[in-house]
Structure formats: structure tokens, C-alpha cells
């Protein structure tokens, strides 16, 4: 299953560097700015074709160089895997993925989840963070929904164009009807998947809360907001807010505005937990959904957590490490040099350490 050997050439800080990655757990330690997150970024580019730091991957080219070339060898489904990505200042990113020499689609590879600093705002940050995370899960479990979502987004774009440019009422009505029809179908699928998501999260976290370290998470719950008034049909809601949408120049109601909220004992989690407790909850949410993915689609899993030790005391760090190490997949963690994570991890598992 695992990624095994990563090669970086002219990527971010790295002129020429090779890294061996454990098939189990790898710990990357270094000072701030030493390139820990860049290693995770390179793996994300190789697997997904995208950077989580920038829209333009050419920004990853090392200063004063004209291109980068990154590659990784590993195994997948008991076959040899080779990933390669290149980007120059004058061309787009080119990525190839081959399994025993034959091309393989990125959708058929690992389920990769990276926990970054932005995800620490999953519960208190803007809804877009939660929607992006929710969609990554939903589309992996139900890839056929990508087509429905794409059709809805196209109709939404056309309605927004009508609103912004003040086009004819007939054209606005046409696209409003399309948004309402497709939006209702998409919202039903979102809600159905949310019920699956909710069930796994509640079961996993309520079980974890029986441990003394996580007792503050007793009676966790999560509620769904579909993106418009619960009492109205989407078609009616779109009509009722037409003046507001015209003034804004975009559509303010619909499944593109879906959201979810976590609570503990009927109180909003983001307002009642400390920063460290919120991080524990977020990590447990990620872990619960890894288990869901494994059960539903039998995907091979890679978990990467950037700066795991931040905002966690030694007790909570040890407790969450124990939970992370239970997942059936490859684990890559980063931490700041001198933190307690090395000592905590050493007591629990064998691992490969990369020092930067």
C-alpha cells in the first residue's frame, strides 16, 4: 500500500533531496520554516494534482530556478506505483501516475487527508472550510454525485451572471428554475450523506469520550443546515430573496450554502471548548471519517497531520496519538524540533524519523 521514497528537485526550499517514508508511521521534525509542510505539499500534488497552499503550483519552484520535478515510488494494490509531477515557469503542472507502468487515475488511488492549520478552524471558521471537507468525503464515497454537483454549479453560475449583469427576467427565471430543480436533488443527496457522516462521528466520538482524556466530549451532536429556510421550498426561497440577490449580485440561498454545526451537551462546541479541546475534537472527526471511508469503499488510506503537537499538552498529545495509531493506513506527522511528540510516539510505535 504505502508511499516509500520521495524525491524533490527545485521544490520550495529543497534543491535536491530524497526522503524514505515508512509504510507505517513517519515523523518529520524541524524548526519553523525548515520545509516540513512542503514535504506534505509535494505528496499532495503528486496524488491530487493540487497544492493546498497556492492555486499556481509554479509558485512551488525554488527561488531562482525555472522548474521543479518531484516523484515518489511506492506500492498500491500490491503493484509498483510511480508518481511524477513537473512544473516550469512557462508551462502548467504535468503529473503522471503509473501502476506497473500503466496509467492510473487519481480517483482510483489513495484516500488522502491532510490536517492543516486551516482545519483547526473547521468548527469555528467560515462555512467554506466545512463544505470543502464534507464534499471531499461525499465525493469519495459517492463519486457519481460529482456530475450532479457540477451541473448545479453551472446553473448557479448562470443565475449569478443574470443577477450581476441585470439580464432579462425570462433568462433569470430560466436559470432560477434550473437552480431550484438541481439544487433540490443535490440537497437531498447532501442530507442523506450527512446522516451517514453524523452516525459515524457520533458513535466514534461518544465511544472515545468514555476515556478520561476525552470525557469533555460527552454527548456530542452535529446538526445540518441545508442552505435555505427549513420551512420553504428552494424555489420559493429563491423568489423571496430575489431583491437581495440582485443587490448582492449572487445567489444567497441553496445547497452551495450548506453547513453543519457541532455541539456538546446542546452547547455550540466552537464557543465552549478550549483551543486544545477543539483540536482534539477536530482530529477525532477526521479519524471517525477515515473509519467510515474504510468501511464503505475499502480505500487505502493516508493520513497526514501538520504540526500535531501545537496547542496540546503532553496528556492530550499522548491520548490523540494513541487514536491516530489505530487507523489502518499510512501516517505522516510533522512537529517542531524539541517538542514532546518524539518521546510520546517512541513509547507507542516504531516509526521512521526525518530530521530537517
Amino acid at each position: 500500500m504505502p508511499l516509500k521514497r520521495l524525491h524533490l528537485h527545485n521544490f520550495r526550499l529543497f534543491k535536491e533531496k530524497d526522503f524514505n517514508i515508512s509504510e507505517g508511521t513517519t515523523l518529520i521534525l524541524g524548526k519553523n520554516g525548515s520545509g516540513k509542510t512542503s514535504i506534505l505539499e509535494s505528496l499532495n500534488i503528486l496524488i491530487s494534482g493540487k497544492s493546498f497552499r497556492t492555486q499556481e503550483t509554479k509558485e512551488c519552484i525554488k527561488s531562482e530556478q525555472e522548474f521543479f520535478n518531484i516523484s515518489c515510488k511506492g506500492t498500491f494494490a500490491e503493484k509498483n506505483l510511480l508518481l511524477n509531477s513537473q512544473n516550469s515557469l512557462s508551462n502548467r503542472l504535468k503529473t503522471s501516475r503509473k501502476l506497473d507502468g500503466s496509467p492510473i487515475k487519481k480517483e482510483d488511488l489513495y484516500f488522502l487527508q491532510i490536517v492543516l492549520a486551516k482545519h483547526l478552524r473547521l468548527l469555528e471558521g467560515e462555512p467554506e472550510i466545512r463544505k470543502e471537507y464534507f464534499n471531499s468525503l461525499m465525493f469519495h464515497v459517492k463519486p457519481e454525485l460529482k456530475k450532479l454537483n457540477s451541473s448545479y454549479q453551472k446553473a448557479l453560475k448562470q443565475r449569478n451572471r443574470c443577477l450581476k449583469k441585470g439580464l432579462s427576467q425570462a433568462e433569470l427565471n430560466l436559470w432560477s428554475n434550473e437552480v431550484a430543480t438541481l439544487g433540490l436533488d443535490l440537497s437531498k443527496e447532501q442530507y442523506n450523506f450527512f446522516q451517514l457522516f453524523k452516525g459515524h462521528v457520533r458513535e466514534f466520538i461518544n465511544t472515545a469520550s468514555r476515556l478520561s482524556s476525552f470525557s469533555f466530549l460527552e454527548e456530542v451532536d452535529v446538526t445540518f443546515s441545508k442552505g435555505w429556510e427549513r420551512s420553504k421550498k428552494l424555489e420559493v426561497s429563491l423568489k423571496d430573496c430575489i431583491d437581495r440577490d440582485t443587490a448582492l449580485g449572487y445567489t444567497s440561498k441553496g445547497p452551495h450554502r450548506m453547513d453543519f454545526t457541532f455541539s456538546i451537551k446542546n452547547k455550540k462546541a466552537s464557543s465552549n471548548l478550549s483551543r486544545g479541546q477543539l483540536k482534539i475534537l477536530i482530529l477525532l472527526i477526521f479519524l471517525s471519517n477515515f473509519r467510515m471511508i474504510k468501511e464503505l469503499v475499502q480505500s487505502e488510506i493516508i493520513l497526514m497531520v501538520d504540526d500535531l503537537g501545537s496547542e496540546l499538552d503532553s496528556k492530550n498529545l499522548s491520548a490523540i496519538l494513541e487514536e491516530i495509531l489505530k487507523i489502518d493506513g499510512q501516517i505522516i506527522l510533522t512537529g517542531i524540533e524539541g517538542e514532546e511528540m518524539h518521546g510520546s510516539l517512541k513509547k507507542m510505535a516504531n516509526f521512521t524519523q526525518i530530521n530537517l
Side-chain angles (χ1 to χ4, degrees):
M1 174 195 120
L3 303 175
K4 293 182 177 179
R5 187 169 179 83
L6 174 67
H7 175 75
L8 304 180
H9 178 69
N10 290 342
F11 188 84
R12 296 289 188 184
L13 297 175
F14 301 104
K15 173 62 178 175
E16 196 87 35
K17 195 72 174 178
D18 291 292
F19 298 101
N20 292 319
I21 305 171
S22 169
E23 64 180 66
T25 302
T26 300
L27 175 62
I28 305 171
L29 290 179
K31 297 177 181 178
N32 286 329
S34 61
K36 302 184 299 295
T37 306
S38 296
I39 294 175
L40 304 188
E41 180 185 26
S42 70
L43 293 170
N44 190 67
I45 290 173
L46 287 165
I47 294 173
S48 72
K50 296 180 181 179
S51 165
F52 51 70
R53 283 169 147 178
T54 175
Q55 295 289 328
E56 294 287 341
T57 51
K58 63 180 62 178
E59 293 180 12
C60 300
I61 299 172
K62 183 176 171 62
S63 178
E64 299 183 358
Q65 302 299 318
E66 296 185 354
F67 71 97
F68 73 68
N69 190 339
I70 58 178
S71 62
C72 190
K73 295 179 180 179
T75 57
F76 181 81
E78 300 182 353
K79 296 180 180 180
N80 292 321
L81 176 69
L82 177 60
L83 308 173
N84 181 266
S85 291
Q86 303 175 48
N87 208 166
S88 69
L89 294 173
S90 57
N91 291 304
R92 291 184 176 183
L93 177 73
K94 296 179 180 178
T95 297
S96 68
R97 305 171 186 87
K98 293 186 177 181
L99 200 60
D100 275 355
S102 299
I104 182 172
K105 295 179 180 179
K106 63 181 180 181
E107 293 83 2
D108 297 328
L109 279 172
Y110 313 97
F111 177 68
L112 171 65
Q113 192 70 70
I114 305 180
V115 186
L116 302 164
K118 73 173 184 178
H119 294 118
L120 300 185
R121 297 188 294 114
L122 183 70
L123 304 185
E124 58 183 344
E126 56 270 26
E128 192 63 31
I129 298 174
R130 290 182 288 279
K131 189 178 74 172
E132 179 186 350
Y133 175 61
F134 183 85
N135 283 345
S136 72
L137 296 171
M138 184 173 72
F139 293 149
H140 191 81
V141 174
K142 296 187 173 183
E144 68 275 11
L145 295 183
K146 290 181 181 180
K147 184 176 180 180
L148 173 59
N149 182 66
S150 178
S151 297
Y152 174 76
Q153 293 296 333
K154 288 177 182 177
L156 182 66
K157 184 178 180 180
Q158 291 300 325
R159 185 177 192 268
N160 289 344
R161 182 178 65 88
C162 292
L163 292 166
K164 190 172 184 178
K165 294 188 175 182
L167 301 183
S168 70
Q169 189 65 43
E171 188 168 359
L172 177 59
N173 289 341
L174 171 68
W175 289 112
S176 293
N177 290 336
E178 191 75 0
V179 166
T181 301
L182 292 169
L184 184 59
D185 290 341
L186 179 59
S187 183
K188 288 178 180 177
E189 296 291 351
Q190 287 175 335
Y191 182 73
N192 289 339
F193 185 76
F194 171 78
Q195 293 301 318
L196 195 63
F197 168 85
K198 176 180 179 178
H200 277 81
V201 166
R202 288 183 62 184
E203 179 185 357
F204 186 87
I205 295 179
N206 284 329
T207 298
S209 71
R210 295 169 192 162
L211 301 173
S212 59
S213 300
F214 304 141
S215 59
F216 61 90
L217 294 175
E218 287 181 354
E219 298 180 38
V220 68
D221 201 4
V222 54
T223 54
F224 178 81
S225 171
K226 63 182 181 179
W228 73 94
E229 300 88 344
R230 185 178 299 180
S231 60
K232 293 182 180 180
K233 294 182 178 180
L234 180 54
E235 180 182 4
V236 174
S237 184
L238 290 173
K239 288 179 180 178
D240 288 350
C241 65
I242 187 64
D243 291 339
R244 181 172 184 266
D245 286 357
T246 300
L248 292 170
Y250 62 83
T251 304
S252 60
K253 306 287 185 180
H256 60 289
R257 304 299 295 270
M258 68 79 62
D259 201 359
F260 56 85
T261 305
F262 274 83
S263 61
I264 307 291
K265 295 182 178 179
N266 297 317
K267 294 182 179 180
K268 195 173 181 180
S270 59
S271 303
N272 289 277
L273 297 180
S274 69
R275 293 293 301 166
Q277 289 173 331
L278 276 174
K279 183 167 185 176
I280 291 290
L281 174 55
I282 290 164
L283 288 167
L284 290 174
I285 291 168
F286 273 78
L287 294 177
S288 72
N289 287 305
F290 271 109
R291 188 177 69 172
M292 177 182 70
I293 294 293
K294 196 74 174 179
E295 288 179 4
L296 295 177
V297 291
Q298 289 79 50
S299 291
E300 296 190 11
I301 291 172
I302 300 175
L303 172 65
M304 303 183 190
V305 185
D306 196 23
D307 201 10
L308 175 62
S310 69
E311 303 187 34
L312 297 179
D313 59 27
S314 58
K315 179 182 176 182
N316 281 330
L317 177 60
S318 294
I320 198 63
L321 269 173
E322 282 190 38
E323 295 301 316
I324 289 173
L325 292 171
K326 291 177 184 177
I327 73 166
D328 182 15
Q330 190 170 23
I331 301 167
I332 302 174
L333 310 172
T334 77
I336 296 174
E337 191 177 46
E339 282 186 333
E340 295 181 1
M341 187 155 54
H342 175 272
S344 298
L345 189 57
K346 193 173 182 179
K347 297 174 184 177
M348 301 178 195
N350 295 321
F351 61 95
T352 294
Q353 183 169 322
I354 296 173
N355 295 310
L356 298 178

